Amino acid sequence: MNVSSVQVKEPVQVAKAVETPNGLASSSLAAGSKMRARTFLAVPTATLIAFVVHLFVSQDEPAVDTRSYSVFLAGMFGLSVAAAAVQPLWSSLRRWMAHMCPIIAATVLLLCLWEVITSGLRLLPMPYFPSPAGVLQSLLNDRKLLFDSTWHSLLLLLSGYVLGVSIALVTGICIGWFPLARYWGMPLLKALGPIPATAWVPLAMVLSPSGIFSAVGLVALAVWFPVTMLTISGIANTRASYLDVARTLGAGPKHLIFRVAIPAAMPSIFIGLFMGLGTSFLTLIVAETVGVKSGLGWYVSWAQGWAEYGKVYAALVIMAAFFSTIMTVLFKVRDRVLVWQKGVIKW
Amino acid sequence: MAERGHQVVATTATNALNEGSSLRIVEVSKHFPAADASSERTHALDNISLSVAAGELVSVVGPSGCGKSTLLRLIAGLDHCDSGTLTVGADAIHEPSAERGLVFQDPNLFPWLTVRRNIESGLVARGVLHEKRHEVDEFIRLVGLETFAKAYPHHLSGGMAQRVALARALINHPKVLLLDEPLGALDAFTRMRMQDEVLRLWEARGATILLVTHDIDEAIYMSNRIVIMTPRPGRVERIIPVSLERPRQRNSAEFLRLRGDILEFLHFTRGAG
Ligand SMILES: Nc1ncnc2c1ncn2[C@@H]1O[C@H](COP(=O)(O)OP(=O)(O)O)[C@@H](O)[C@H]1O
Ligand SMILES: [Mg+2]
């Protein structure tokens, strides 16, 4: 009877592969499993190669320096073999592996190449370019200080980022919504905003009683400009028809700002948040290098001062993991907030 | 299932529109500024006068660009006229109000809200969601979108989106309902069903409805009077009363004769202009 709800388009569903027992399907299945087997064996093979190369090139080096890398490769090998053995019974692991195995194997081979170039052929000047085994050893030796530095960087980054974003949202929404705020705010923003936050370092060091405060302030400043700009543009570009609809539904100014303009501006605000995160990383490292005497930025310049390049690279590895984790978290938050845009349905 | 739905719809229907208010449009003119220096400004409405009694259902038809949407926006309070007065009941119209509901030509659903939250948004805007939450389900059922309550607008077809827009306007129980080609995007079958639905809502409480449409049949089927407008500048060309018995038969002799008259008239005016 209810024709109108019959004629609706059902949201597109991803068709699940159904395994059928007829000959045609099983032959294509066999081809698929051959490819799959190759994929799953890629990591064990790569680690095995890397392991043999490692044993070969590190013959002359003291065992203490190379043992942890051997353990690492052996563990990696064991893990990948175990995963390849378990995957037929565990479908989500299988899907993850099918996607990740080539990348992991390539990474292991790159490490192997790095080792060949450094400790194997000694193509690069030695103290500046340690082998992966050396870097891993430095990382393990100095893990306490590295952990401490990461923790300090995290605190500094988060407090600066949160502070900057909070101020930016307020200024962005005000300037985007109120014409008077735009008249006075825009020129100020245009004049001061484009100055890189790191250019304020001298002033910050004079102004702030402690290095920490000036570093938080610098990170906040670095975040503030892009987030403000993109918030303004998002709010100001809210489609007039959404505001019209809301007004005919009886919405007052508060509803128009918080329930219409801000949600409509969210995609744009998130672009600002990502840009701000990028500038905040840069500013964090600079601020730590010149001002604060803690954190990963400080650690790198300190280790460099002692010519301990293994530690420098160890810190860089940690930084890469640290920053990309934070980036991933922000991506996840965005996917949550902008489901309506992405088209993910949650029933 | 269908019967149960119908039951609830019936109770909703009696509540959906409040007792209508009369509407007076007196010598209203509206210009739009020129887009650039070389073009002239648009004379959208010229000296429009129209009275709609409380509880009347009046259709407005006319070629596109004759100012129908502009007229509805003025009544809604979204735009202001250059000269003339607009009053609803005893009050002059200055700004939008939840008492004058408007369904736009495009559904304009809030894309960041689910179907349910879109329909709720009128209650949220007026700050009465807490007391009236129970009505939301009735309105979702009214437009037949129970299974899509949690879907986001970009999953809806055009017709479904327009039904959500209708429910969103109705949930505020407006005294004047302004409909700007609201059924234009629907397929013929759903369209007829929604026409009956709107008629039932209207008959239950006698609210005032101003319906813009490009469908002559729809105008004859639904309205007490049909206002025919002509473009550039938009003028009221003629007002045709429709005195057919309700419920109307779409293929009765009188219906078809009236339809013929109107088509002939439209053709004549187009030929002359
Ligand atoms: N915001 C606007 N700015 C400039 N011109 C407009 C605007 N809105 C409508 N017009 C013009 O006014 C005339 C009437 O438009 P409209 O009311 O949308 O017509 P209809 O709804 O009858 O198709 C058209 O010529 C249109 O171009
Ligand atoms: Mg129109």
Side-chain angles (χ1 to χ4, degrees):
Chain A
M1 140 86 205
N2 206 342
V3 177
S4 55
S5 54
V6 176
Q7 53 101 22
V8 298
K9 279 186 297 193
E10 285 292 337
V12 183
Q13 301 234 328
V14 181
K16 273 196 197 141
V18 182
E19 309 203 350
T20 46
N22 69 46
L24 214 133
S26 57
S27 78
S28 75
L29 216 74
S33 69
K34 197 195 280 174
M35 190 214 71
R36 230 185 262 157
R38 215 182 310 158
T39 310
F40 292 132
L41 290 181
V43 178
T45 317
T47 13
L48 204 62
I49 295 171
F51 193 70
V52 171
V53 169
H54 171 62
L55 287 184
F56 191 72
V57 300
S58 62
Q59 276 165 346
D60 318 331
E61 290 177 35
V64 266
D65 288 353
T66 61
R67 186 161 352 113
S68 21
Y69 190 59
S70 311
V71 171
F72 166 75
L73 285 178
M76 188 100 177
F77 179 74
L79 215 63
S80 60
V81 169
V86 172
Q87 54 84 14
L89 310 172
W90 188 354
S91 67
S92 57
L93 176 71
R94 183 164 63 234
R95 228 167 303 131
W96 183 82
M97 282 177 74
H99 184 65
M100 290 306 290
C101 277
I103 290 181
I104 297 174
T107 312
V108 172
L109 288 180
L110 269 182
L111 285 176
C112 174
L113 185 70
W114 174 11
E115 186 162 33
V116 169
I117 292 175
T118 52
S119 27
L121 305 173
R122 299 190 184 267
L123 289 177
L124 297 171
M126 198 37 214
Y128 307 111
F129 298 98
S131 71
V135 172
L136 183 65
Q137 200 53 49
S138 308
L139 201 155
L140 292 176
N141 289 346
D142 225 11
R143 59 184 179 274
K144 198 168 169 308
L145 189 52
L146 270 171
F147 182 82
D148 238 41
S149 301
T150 311
W151 177 244
H152 275 107
S153 287
L154 181 68
L155 286 184
L156 193 56
L157 183 73
L158 282 190
S159 40
Y161 191 74
V162 169
L163 182 69
V165 167
S166 319
I167 299 174
L169 288 179
V170 174
T171 51
I173 290 163
C174 288
I175 296 177
W177 186 261
F178 300 104
L180 193 66
R182 181 167 329 164
Y183 178 82
W184 294 107
M186 259 334 230
L188 195 71
L189 203 66
K190 277 184 192 156
L192 296 185
I195 302 175
T198 46
W200 296 101
V201 164
L203 184 65
M205 285 165 81
V206 171
L207 280 181
S208 147
S210 93
I212 297 283
F213 280 117
S214 61
V216 170
L218 285 176
V219 172
L221 187 64
V223 177
W224 172 77
F225 177 61
V227 178
T228 304
M229 268 324 221
L230 272 295
T231 306
I232 293 173
S233 113
I235 297 274
N237 290 322
T238 306
R239 261 173 58 181
S241 53
Y242 295 150
L243 297 169
D244 285 346
V245 170
R247 276 169 2 119
T248 62
L249 293 174
K254 229 172 87 186
H255 186 100
L256 292 180
I257 296 178
F258 288 99
R259 303 276 187 155
V260 183
I262 293 179
M266 268 303 166
S268 174
I269 291 175
F270 266 97
I271 297 176
L273 291 178
F274 279 107
M275 289 169 60
L277 197 59
T279 58
S280 74
F281 291 157
L282 174 73
T283 311
L284 172 78
I285 297 304
V286 172
E288 284 176 343
T289 310
V290 301
V292 200
K293 291 288 168 261
S294 64
L296 288 169
W298 164 81
Y299 183 92
V300 168
S301 61
W302 171 81
Q304 189 206 8
W306 292 99
E308 300 217 44
Y309 283 89
K311 291 185 180 177
V312 171
Y313 291 104
L316 290 183
V317 169
I318 300 276
M319 256 185 225
F322 175 64
F323 289 153
S324 71
T325 307
I326 291 177
M327 228 8 144
T328 309
V329 169
L330 189 58
F331 268 110
K332 288 265 186 276
V333 172
R334 186 205 56 177
D335 290 351
R336 248 309 148 77
V337 174
L338 298 184
V339 265
W340 55 271
Q341 205 191 23
K342 256 189 64 184
V344 174
I345 330 158
K346 287 183 300 172
W347 296 100
Chain B
M1 157 88 208
E3 273 79 3
R4 192 154 50 84
H6 205 78
Q7 209 71 49
V8 182
V9 167
T11 63
T12 310
T14 44
N15 288 324
L17 299 169
N18 278 350
E19 201 70 35
S21 301
S22 64
L23 192 65
R24 279 171 59 78
I25 302 160
V26 183
E27 292 169 4
V28 164
S29 293
K30 172 76 182 171
H31 297 265
F32 285 109
D36 52 71
S38 59
S39 61
E40 283 180 36
R41 62 182 192 157
T42 314
H43 196 172
L45 294 176
D46 182 36
N47 226 7
I48 297 261
S49 292
L50 177 67
S51 281
V52 181
E56 202 179 4
L57 198 167
V58 173
S59 291
V60 180
V61 297
S64 82
C66 69
K68 307 181 295 288
S69 299
T70 305
L71 181 64
L72 290 202
R73 286 180 63 87
L74 290 178
I75 300 169
L78 292 170
D79 282 336
H80 296 284
C81 53
D82 301 339
S83 63
T85 52
L86 295 128
T87 46
V88 57
D91 310 318
I93 294 170
H94 295 299
E95 54 181 9
S97 143
E99 306 215 318
R100 275 166 278 129
L102 173 54
V103 178
F104 291 74
Q105 219 163 339
D106 302 319
N108 283 320
L109 301 182
F110 303 120
W112 54 88
L113 298 179
T114 58
V115 165
R116 160 177 285 276
R117 299 227 172 263
N118 262 288
I119 292 175
E120 271 176 9
S121 55
L123 302 179
V124 176
R126 292 187 299 137
V128 296
L129 178 64
H130 200 67
E131 304 96 87
K132 310 233 166 157
R133 193 187 292 278
H134 59 276
E135 293 185 11
V136 177
D137 283 312
E138 299 173 12
F139 279 90
I140 292 174
R141 230 169 279 147
L142 170 72
V143 292
L145 287 171
E146 297 93 323
T147 50
F148 280 80
K150 287 181 183 159
Y152 283 95
H154 71 273
H155 286 295
L156 306 181
S157 69
M160 290 159 75
Q162 196 54 276
R163 276 142 64 197
V164 177
L166 194 61
R168 181 174 64 176
L170 287 174
I171 204 165
N172 273 340
H173 306 295
K175 290 182 174 163
V176 175
L177 186 60
L178 308 165
L179 303 173
D180 193 348
E181 299 185 22
L183 310 180
L186 303 186
D187 62 280
F189 199 91
T190 315
R191 189 185 173 98
M192 286 194 266
R193 196 176 76 94
M194 291 305 287
Q195 286 171 357
D196 288 332
E197 213 64 74
V198 171
L199 277 180
R200 247 170 20 75
L201 290 168
W202 171 70
E203 278 165 356
R205 284 302 287 252
T208 310
I209 296 184
L210 201 56
L211 169 73
V212 167
T213 176
H214 55 236
D215 180 350
I216 310 282
D217 285 5
E218 181 169 283
I220 300 171
Y221 184 69
M222 308 267 295
S223 41
N224 301 62
R225 287 186 294 155
I226 301 175
V227 177
I228 297 178
M229 286 180 67
T230 51
R232 290 192 193 83
R235 288 204 180 94
V236 172
E237 186 67 30
R238 203 166 141 181
I239 299 181
I240 298 171
V242 183
S243 48
L244 304 178
E245 287 282 309
R246 290 175 193 274
R248 292 175 180 167
Q249 300 302 318
R250 292 174 199 267
N251 53 2
S252 70
E254 298 103 308
F255 194 104
L256 296 177
R257 193 168 57 242
L258 193 54
R259 184 169 187 270
D261 288 351
I262 293 174
L263 285 175
E264 195 180 333
F265 176 75
L266 285 175
H267 187 256
F268 169 73
T269 52
R270 196 174 331 127

